[in-house]
Amino acid sequence: MVHKDNSSPIPLVDLVQQSRQIKEDVLRRMADVIDSARYILGQEVREFEEQFAGYCGTDHCIGLGNGTDALHMALRALGIGEGDEVITAGNSFAATAFAIAYSGARPVLVDIDPADFNIDPDLIEHAITDRSRAIIPVHLYGQPAQMAAIREIADRHGLRIIEDAAQAHGAEIGGQRCGSFGDIGCFSFYPGKNLGAFGDGGAVVTNDPEVADKIRLLRNYGQKVKNRHDLLGYNCRLDTLQACVLLSKMQHIECWTEKRRQVAAWYREELADTQLLLPEERDGVRHVYHLYVVRHRRRDQVLASLAEQGIHCGIHYPHPLSLAAPMRDSATVPYGLPLCSEVANEILSLPMFPEMTRQQVATVANAVRAFAPEEVAFR
Ligand SMILES: Cc1ncc(COP(=O)(O)O)c(C=O)c1O
């Protein structure tokens, strides 16, 4: 790799710095689990569930194996399956549509509003049929979807709402946390997420006690009592050792989220005079910047130029969901995904993690400026 200045490479995400901050606390918690041998559904899982429900402003949280399980169990708990349709955004991570397919329902993929990269509520309305049962808005990159408009449409058509908040821990609209707007909120604790375990983890949150009870059964082979299987459940429990990591990180999540927002503010300043189209933050929302996603018409060249200068970026995601091989037969795309396709060719995710310094942000901005400085602005 060629570096055009003397600074060290900047990773897309740096998990090592964060892990170092909590290592001692995590090890102490893990030692208790090891000594007690309560490896499955130990008290740390319950403790974390209580804390995370409180954090989201919901009555219940159920810890699960990962975020994909959270979406799948949410659909199962609402009785959605064969013959049903579930509407979601065409630009999400594959797991959102895959979970719908696991349930037996058909994913219906809808285009986005490029202003916030989230599902366009006006287009949801057009995609509703007599088989529609639910909407899964995705709070992509950490910016809340337009929940008031989505709630209004869902109520008018008798649809359930499952929020995919895998990238939106602590995101808010008018002070209310994402995950608490719909019938069920789904979270991932994949290591790189804003709240990430040291492996896989996930959870659902809800205010509905029946849904909560059902998901508690579903995650543990349908057992409330050992060896009594009330329904065809799964094995998708949050691991107790991962709950130790999450409990430890809960003490820092607000501070880390504010640091992400600070990094985004620095980017806004430093990149203002570049050719990149910067992400907009909707009024009244708290964007938690899981990813800092910008656009450029010559994205691949920008990406290559940044990589050459030691700036590691990502693409989230390079293709609309409709192009994923398993979706070609199983998903419906009623009105095409022209904006998802356009955006997929132009987006890149710049380095973003709470420990990023202003100097690193300036280095990224200088690297961006070093690319084709004679070019005109994006729009
Ligand atoms: C938007 C979205 N939905 C769902 C998932 C699935 O979560 P997991 O990887 O924990 O299964 C992820 C993350 O990977 C995601 O980013």
Side-chain angles (χ1 to χ4, degrees), residues 65-71 92-97 138-141 164-167 186-191 193 199-202 290-291 317:
N66 53 60
T68 312
D69 284 342
L71 291 161
S92 187
F93 179 60
T96 317
V138 184
H139 307 297
L140 206 64
Y141 312 146
D164 184 338
Q167 303 188 2
C186 300
F187 289 88
S188 163
F189 306 126
Y190 181 81
K193 295 293 195 258
D200 280 307
H290 171 57
L291 294 166
Y317 298 91

mmCIF file of all heavy atoms in Angstrom, residues 65-71 92-97 138-141 164-167 186-191 193 199-202 290-291 317, ligand 1:
data_model
loop_
_atom_site.group_PDB
_atom_site.id
_atom_site.type_symbol
_atom_site.label_atom_id
_atom_site.label_comp_id
_atom_site.label_asym_id
_atom_site.label_seq_id
_atom_site.Cartn_x
_atom_site.Cartn_y
_atom_site.Cartn_z
ATOM 1 N N GLY A 65 -29.740 -15.146 19.552
ATOM 2 C CA GLY A 65 -28.433 -15.535 19.023
ATOM 3 C C GLY A 65 -27.783 -14.492 18.135
ATOM 4 O O GLY A 65 -26.560 -14.366 18.096
ATOM 5 N N ASN A 66 -28.581 -13.757 17.378
ATOM 6 C CA ASN A 66 -28.065 -12.724 16.468
ATOM 7 C C ASN A 66 -29.233 -11.878 15.965
ATOM 8 O O ASN A 66 -30.396 -12.162 16.304
ATOM 9 C CB ASN A 66 -27.299 -13.366 15.301
ATOM 10 C CG ASN A 66 -28.134 -14.426 14.597
ATOM 11 O OD1 ASN A 66 -29.201 -14.127 14.071
ATOM 12 N ND2 ASN A 66 -27.684 -15.673 14.618
ATOM 13 N N GLY A 67 -28.929 -10.887 15.159
ATOM 14 C CA GLY A 67 -29.970 -9.994 14.661
ATOM 15 C C GLY A 67 -30.902 -10.663 13.658
ATOM 16 O O GLY A 67 -32.074 -10.301 13.558
ATOM 17 N N THR A 68 -30.367 -11.613 12.913
ATOM 18 C CA THR A 68 -31.204 -12.335 11.938
ATOM 19 C C THR A 68 -32.241 -13.167 12.686
ATOM 20 O O THR A 68 -33.421 -13.199 12.305
ATOM 21 C CB THR A 68 -30.309 -13.235 11.052
ATOM 22 O OG1 THR A 68 -29.202 -12.459 10.580
ATOM 23 C CG2 THR A 68 -31.086 -13.792 9.877
ATOM 24 N N ASP A 69 -31.825 -13.830 13.756
ATOM 25 C CA ASP A 69 -32.778 -14.567 14.613
ATOM 26 C C ASP A 69 -33.843 -13.613 15.144
ATOM 27 O O ASP A 69 -35.015 -13.975 15.246
ATOM 28 C CB ASP A 69 -32.065 -15.159 15.847
ATOM 29 C CG ASP A 69 -31.233 -16.389 15.512
ATOM 30 O OD1 ASP A 69 -31.458 -16.989 14.451
ATOM 31 O OD2 ASP A 69 -30.368 -16.738 16.344
ATOM 32 N N ALA A 70 -33.428 -12.404 15.516
ATOM 33 C CA ALA A 70 -34.381 -11.437 16.083
ATOM 34 C C ALA A 70 -35.495 -11.161 15.079
ATOM 35 O O ALA A 70 -36.682 -11.194 15.419
ATOM 36 C CB ALA A 70 -33.649 -10.153 16.475
ATOM 37 N N LEU A 71 -35.119 -10.916 13.827
ATOM 38 C CA LEU A 71 -36.123 -10.648 12.781
ATOM 39 C C LEU A 71 -36.987 -11.881 12.541
ATOM 40 O O LEU A 71 -38.218 -11.792 12.428
ATOM 41 C CB LEU A 71 -35.424 -10.240 11.479
ATOM 42 C CG LEU A 71 -34.738 -8.865 11.503
ATOM 43 C CD1 LEU A 71 -33.698 -8.752 10.391
ATOM 44 C CD2 LEU A 71 -35.779 -7.753 11.368
ATOM 45 N N SER A 92 -31.410 -2.822 2.164
ATOM 46 C CA SER A 92 -30.913 -3.284 3.464
ATOM 47 C C SER A 92 -29.850 -4.368 3.294
ATOM 48 O O SER A 92 -29.568 -4.828 2.188
ATOM 49 C CB SER A 92 -32.069 -3.820 4.306
ATOM 50 O OG SER A 92 -31.624 -4.115 5.622
ATOM 51 N N PHE A 93 -29.290 -4.787 4.437
ATOM 52 C CA PHE A 93 -28.431 -5.971 4.457
ATOM 53 C C PHE A 93 -29.311 -7.190 4.167
ATOM 54 O O PHE A 93 -30.495 -7.209 4.514
ATOM 55 C CB PHE A 93 -27.761 -6.087 5.836
ATOM 56 C CG PHE A 93 -26.863 -7.280 5.971
ATOM 57 C CD1 PHE A 93 -25.772 -7.443 5.128
ATOM 58 C CD2 PHE A 93 -27.106 -8.253 6.923
ATOM 59 C CE1 PHE A 93 -24.946 -8.554 5.233
ATOM 60 C CE2 PHE A 93 -26.289 -9.366 7.054
ATOM 61 C CZ PHE A 93 -25.194 -9.510 6.203
ATOM 62 N N ALA A 94 -28.719 -8.210 3.559
ATOM 63 C CA ALA A 94 -29.476 -9.389 3.113
ATOM 64 C C ALA A 94 -30.341 -10.001 4.210
ATOM 65 O O ALA A 94 -31.445 -10.516 3.946
ATOM 66 C CB ALA A 94 -28.496 -10.435 2.575
ATOM 67 N N ALA A 95 -29.858 -9.933 5.469
ATOM 68 C CA ALA A 95 -30.553 -10.614 6.572
ATOM 69 C C ALA A 95 -32.014 -10.183 6.703
ATOM 70 O O ALA A 95 -32.861 -10.986 7.100
ATOM 71 C CB ALA A 95 -29.824 -10.350 7.885
ATOM 72 N N THR A 96 -32.311 -8.930 6.391
ATOM 73 C CA THR A 96 -33.681 -8.436 6.560
ATOM 74 C C THR A 96 -34.629 -9.229 5.665
ATOM 75 O O THR A 96 -35.666 -9.736 6.122
ATOM 76 C CB THR A 96 -33.770 -6.930 6.206
ATOM 77 O OG1 THR A 96 -32.650 -6.250 6.774
ATOM 78 C CG2 THR A 96 -35.057 -6.322 6.715
ATOM 79 N N ALA A 97 -34.258 -9.366 4.405
ATOM 80 C CA ALA A 97 -35.120 -10.094 3.462
ATOM 81 C C ALA A 97 -35.029 -11.601 3.700
ATOM 82 O O ALA A 97 -36.025 -12.323 3.556
ATOM 83 C CB ALA A 97 -34.716 -9.753 2.033
ATOM 84 N N VAL A 138 -36.121 -0.273 8.072
ATOM 85 C CA VAL A 138 -34.740 -0.490 8.534
ATOM 86 C C VAL A 138 -34.157 0.890 8.843
ATOM 87 O O VAL A 138 -34.207 1.772 7.988
ATOM 88 C CB VAL A 138 -33.899 -1.166 7.426
ATOM 89 C CG1 VAL A 138 -32.500 -1.496 7.930
ATOM 90 C CG2 VAL A 138 -34.595 -2.421 6.904
ATOM 91 N N HIS A 139 -33.651 1.074 10.027
ATOM 92 C CA HIS A 139 -33.033 2.375 10.372
ATOM 93 C C HIS A 139 -31.583 2.314 9.898
ATOM 94 O O HIS A 139 -30.656 2.145 10.700
ATOM 95 C CB HIS A 139 -33.111 2.630 11.874
ATOM 96 C CG HIS A 139 -34.497 2.495 12.440
ATOM 97 N ND1 HIS A 139 -35.533 3.304 12.056
ATOM 98 C CD2 HIS A 139 -35.014 1.623 13.351
ATOM 99 C CE1 HIS A 139 -36.632 2.966 12.724
ATOM 100 N NE2 HIS A 139 -36.343 1.942 13.508
ATOM 101 N N LEU A 140 -31.429 2.449 8.576
ATOM 102 C CA LEU A 140 -30.132 2.134 7.979
ATOM 103 C C LEU A 140 -29.060 3.165 8.330
ATOM 104 O O LEU A 140 -29.327 4.374 8.318
ATOM 105 C CB LEU A 140 -30.289 2.012 6.462
ATOM 106 C CG LEU A 140 -29.261 1.134 5.765
ATOM 107 C CD1 LEU A 140 -29.353 -0.331 6.190
ATOM 108 C CD2 LEU A 140 -29.386 1.232 4.249
ATOM 109 N N TYR A 141 -27.892 2.660 8.597
ATOM 110 C CA TYR A 141 -26.690 3.447 8.943
ATOM 111 C C TYR A 141 -26.822 4.164 10.291
ATOM 112 O O TYR A 141 -25.935 4.921 10.682
ATOM 113 C CB TYR A 141 -26.347 4.503 7.871
ATOM 114 C CG TYR A 141 -26.341 3.991 6.450
ATOM 115 C CD1 TYR A 141 -26.754 4.798 5.392
ATOM 116 C CD2 TYR A 141 -25.906 2.696 6.153
ATOM 117 C CE1 TYR A 141 -26.742 4.345 4.085
ATOM 118 C CE2 TYR A 141 -25.900 2.226 4.842
ATOM 119 C CZ TYR A 141 -26.321 3.056 3.817
ATOM 120 O OH TYR A 141 -26.318 2.609 2.529
ATOM 121 N N ASP A 164 -36.267 -2.980 12.008
ATOM 122 C CA ASP A 164 -34.912 -3.520 11.947
ATOM 123 C C ASP A 164 -33.980 -2.414 12.445
ATOM 124 O O ASP A 164 -33.614 -1.497 11.700
ATOM 125 C CB ASP A 164 -34.556 -3.955 10.521
ATOM 126 C CG ASP A 164 -33.178 -4.608 10.456
ATOM 127 O OD1 ASP A 164 -32.372 -4.362 11.363
ATOM 128 O OD2 ASP A 164 -32.922 -5.357 9.490
ATOM 129 N N ALA A 165 -33.645 -2.513 13.738
ATOM 130 C CA ALA A 165 -32.800 -1.496 14.380
ATOM 131 C C ALA A 165 -31.379 -2.025 14.581
ATOM 132 O O ALA A 165 -30.656 -1.569 15.470
ATOM 133 C CB ALA A 165 -33.425 -1.070 15.705
ATOM 134 N N ALA A 166 -30.980 -2.972 13.720
ATOM 135 C CA ALA A 166 -29.662 -3.611 13.856
ATOM 136 C C ALA A 166 -28.524 -2.597 13.811
ATOM 137 O O ALA A 166 -27.447 -2.842 14.346
ATOM 138 C CB ALA A 166 -29.475 -4.654 12.751
ATOM 139 N N GLN A 167 -28.776 -1.446 13.150
ATOM 140 C CA GLN A 167 -27.715 -0.436 13.019
ATOM 141 C C GLN A 167 -28.054 0.826 13.813
ATOM 142 O O GLN A 167 -27.440 1.862 13.584
ATOM 143 C CB GLN A 167 -27.527 -0.089 11.536
ATOM 144 C CG GLN A 167 -27.197 -1.299 10.674
ATOM 145 C CD GLN A 167 -26.809 -0.940 9.240
ATOM 146 O OE1 GLN A 167 -26.754 0.212 8.877
ATOM 147 N NE2 GLN A 167 -26.538 -1.969 8.438
ATOM 148 N N CYS A 186 -35.933 -5.027 16.497
ATOM 149 C CA CYS A 186 -34.909 -6.084 16.386
ATOM 150 C C CYS A 186 -33.512 -5.475 16.350
ATOM 151 O O CYS A 186 -33.266 -4.532 15.589
ATOM 152 C CB CYS A 186 -35.126 -6.876 15.100
ATOM 153 S SG CYS A 186 -36.741 -7.657 15.057
ATOM 154 N N PHE A 187 -32.619 -6.033 17.145
ATOM 155 C CA PHE A 187 -31.249 -5.529 17.239
ATOM 156 C C PHE A 187 -30.234 -6.631 16.961
ATOM 157 O O PHE A 187 -30.477 -7.801 17.283
ATOM 158 C CB PHE A 187 -30.981 -4.968 18.641
ATOM 159 C CG PHE A 187 -31.714 -3.679 18.907
ATOM 160 C CD1 PHE A 187 -33.014 -3.693 19.414
ATOM 161 C CD2 PHE A 187 -31.126 -2.454 18.628
ATOM 162 C CE1 PHE A 187 -33.704 -2.508 19.643
ATOM 163 C CE2 PHE A 187 -31.801 -1.260 18.855
ATOM 164 C CZ PHE A 187 -33.091 -1.293 19.362
ATOM 165 N N SER A 188 -29.107 -6.218 16.411
ATOM 166 C CA SER A 188 -27.953 -7.114 16.240
ATOM 167 C C SER A 188 -26.842 -6.616 17.155
ATOM 168 O O SER A 188 -26.656 -5.403 17.294
ATOM 169 C CB SER A 188 -27.468 -7.054 14.786
ATOM 170 O OG SER A 188 -26.155 -7.588 14.678
ATOM 171 N N PHE A 189 -26.116 -7.548 17.738
ATOM 172 C CA PHE A 189 -24.922 -7.192 18.516
ATOM 173 C C PHE A 189 -23.666 -7.780 17.877
ATOM 174 O O PHE A 189 -22.704 -8.143 18.552
ATOM 175 C CB PHE A 189 -25.059 -7.659 19.978
ATOM 176 C CG PHE A 189 -26.312 -7.162 20.655
ATOM 177 C CD1 PHE A 189 -27.183 -8.055 21.272
ATOM 178 C CD2 PHE A 189 -26.629 -5.815 20.656
ATOM 179 C CE1 PHE A 189 -28.353 -7.606 21.885
ATOM 180 C CE2 PHE A 189 -27.790 -5.352 21.259
ATOM 181 C CZ PHE A 189 -28.658 -6.253 21.876
ATOM 182 N N TYR A 190 -23.707 -7.919 16.565
ATOM 183 C CA TYR A 190 -22.521 -8.319 15.790
ATOM 184 C C TYR A 190 -21.372 -7.389 16.213
ATOM 185 O O TYR A 190 -21.601 -6.205 16.474
ATOM 186 C CB TYR A 190 -22.869 -8.170 14.300
ATOM 187 C CG TYR A 190 -21.783 -8.557 13.355
ATOM 188 C CD1 TYR A 190 -21.564 -9.896 13.023
ATOM 189 C CD2 TYR A 190 -20.957 -7.586 12.771
ATOM 190 C CE1 TYR A 190 -20.554 -10.247 12.147
ATOM 191 C CE2 TYR A 190 -19.944 -7.934 11.891
ATOM 192 C CZ TYR A 190 -19.744 -9.266 11.582
ATOM 193 O OH TYR A 190 -18.753 -9.621 10.716
ATOM 194 N N PRO A 191 -20.134 -7.907 16.287
ATOM 195 C CA PRO A 191 -19.055 -7.106 16.889
ATOM 196 C C PRO A 191 -18.920 -5.670 16.392
ATOM 197 O O PRO A 191 -18.639 -4.768 17.178
ATOM 198 C CB PRO A 191 -17.800 -7.928 16.566
ATOM 199 C CG PRO A 191 -18.294 -9.334 16.473
ATOM 200 C CD PRO A 191 -19.685 -9.255 15.903
ATOM 201 N N LYS A 193 -21.173 -3.631 15.379
ATOM 202 C CA LYS A 193 -22.327 -2.761 15.581
ATOM 203 C C LYS A 193 -22.042 -1.731 16.684
ATOM 204 O O LYS A 193 -21.094 -1.885 17.457
ATOM 205 C CB LYS A 193 -23.555 -3.608 15.968
ATOM 206 C CG LYS A 193 -23.999 -4.550 14.852
ATOM 207 C CD LYS A 193 -24.539 -3.793 13.662
ATOM 208 C CE LYS A 193 -25.306 -4.659 12.695
ATOM 209 N NZ LYS A 193 -24.576 -5.038 11.487
ATOM 210 N N GLY A 199 -18.647 -11.646 19.562
ATOM 211 C CA GLY A 199 -19.139 -12.759 18.745
ATOM 212 C C GLY A 199 -20.536 -12.362 18.320
ATOM 213 O O GLY A 199 -20.861 -11.173 18.290
ATOM 214 N N ASP A 200 -21.380 -13.360 18.031
ATOM 215 C CA ASP A 200 -22.745 -13.031 17.613
ATOM 216 C C ASP A 200 -23.662 -12.776 18.805
ATOM 217 O O ASP A 200 -23.479 -13.354 19.884
ATOM 218 C CB ASP A 200 -23.324 -14.184 16.777
ATOM 219 C CG ASP A 200 -22.822 -14.142 15.338
ATOM 220 O OD1 ASP A 200 -22.951 -13.074 14.703
ATOM 221 O OD2 ASP A 200 -22.305 -15.165 14.862
ATOM 222 N N GLY A 201 -24.650 -11.949 18.586
ATOM 223 C CA GLY A 201 -25.682 -11.687 19.597
ATOM 224 C C GLY A 201 -26.787 -10.868 18.969
ATOM 225 O O GLY A 201 -26.585 -10.220 17.932
ATOM 226 N N GLY A 202 -27.958 -10.911 19.579
ATOM 227 C CA GLY A 202 -29.085 -10.120 19.073
ATOM 228 C C GLY A 202 -30.164 -10.042 20.135
ATOM 229 O O GLY A 202 -30.047 -10.651 21.208
ATOM 230 N N HIS A 290 -23.925 4.645 12.806
ATOM 231 C CA HIS A 290 -23.266 3.340 12.725
ATOM 232 C C HIS A 290 -22.287 3.372 11.552
ATOM 233 O O HIS A 290 -21.161 2.860 11.645
ATOM 234 C CB HIS A 290 -24.313 2.235 12.548
ATOM 235 C CG HIS A 290 -23.713 0.907 12.246
ATOM 236 N ND1 HIS A 290 -22.790 0.317 13.073
ATOM 237 C CD2 HIS A 290 -23.864 0.069 11.193
ATOM 238 C CE1 HIS A 290 -22.409 -0.837 12.554
ATOM 239 N NE2 HIS A 290 -23.026 -0.994 11.407
ATOM 240 N N LEU A 291 -22.735 4.000 10.466
ATOM 241 C CA LEU A 291 -21.866 4.178 9.296
ATOM 242 C C LEU A 291 -21.969 5.623 8.822
ATOM 243 O O LEU A 291 -23.034 6.235 8.934
ATOM 244 C CB LEU A 291 -22.307 3.231 8.168
ATOM 245 C CG LEU A 291 -22.137 1.736 8.455
ATOM 246 C CD1 LEU A 291 -22.919 0.913 7.435
ATOM 247 C CD2 LEU A 291 -20.662 1.343 8.429
ATOM 248 N N TYR A 317 -24.740 -1.057 0.774
ATOM 249 C CA TYR A 317 -24.288 -2.328 0.253
ATOM 250 C C TYR A 317 -24.157 -2.194 -1.248
ATOM 251 O O TYR A 317 -24.857 -1.370 -1.839
ATOM 252 C CB TYR A 317 -25.270 -3.436 0.666
ATOM 253 C CG TYR A 317 -25.308 -3.530 2.195
ATOM 254 C CD1 TYR A 317 -26.225 -2.804 2.926
ATOM 255 C CD2 TYR A 317 -24.345 -4.266 2.885
ATOM 256 C CE1 TYR A 317 -26.214 -2.837 4.318
ATOM 257 C CE2 TYR A 317 -24.341 -4.317 4.281
ATOM 258 C CZ TYR A 317 -25.271 -3.590 4.987
ATOM 259 O OH TYR A 317 -25.239 -3.617 6.353
HETATM 260 C C1 LIG B 1 -29.765 -3.898 8.851
HETATM 261 C C2 LIG B 1 -29.368 -5.236 9.390
HETATM 262 N N1 LIG B 1 -30.318 -6.169 9.615
HETATM 263 C C3 LIG B 1 -30.007 -7.370 10.122
HETATM 264 C C4 LIG B 1 -28.708 -7.721 10.433
HETATM 265 C C5 LIG B 1 -28.428 -9.088 10.917
HETATM 266 O O1 LIG B 1 -27.790 -9.129 12.155
HETATM 267 P P1 LIG B 1 -26.821 -10.351 12.537
HETATM 268 O O2 LIG B 1 -25.587 -10.234 11.704
HETATM 269 O O3 LIG B 1 -26.558 -10.135 13.984
HETATM 270 O O4 LIG B 1 -27.569 -11.602 12.266
HETATM 271 C C6 LIG B 1 -27.685 -6.769 10.229
HETATM 272 C C7 LIG B 1 -26.273 -6.993 10.589
HETATM 273 O O5 LIG B 1 -25.554 -7.792 10.257
HETATM 274 C C8 LIG B 1 -28.021 -5.508 9.680
HETATM 275 O O6 LIG B 1 -27.081 -4.582 9.465
#
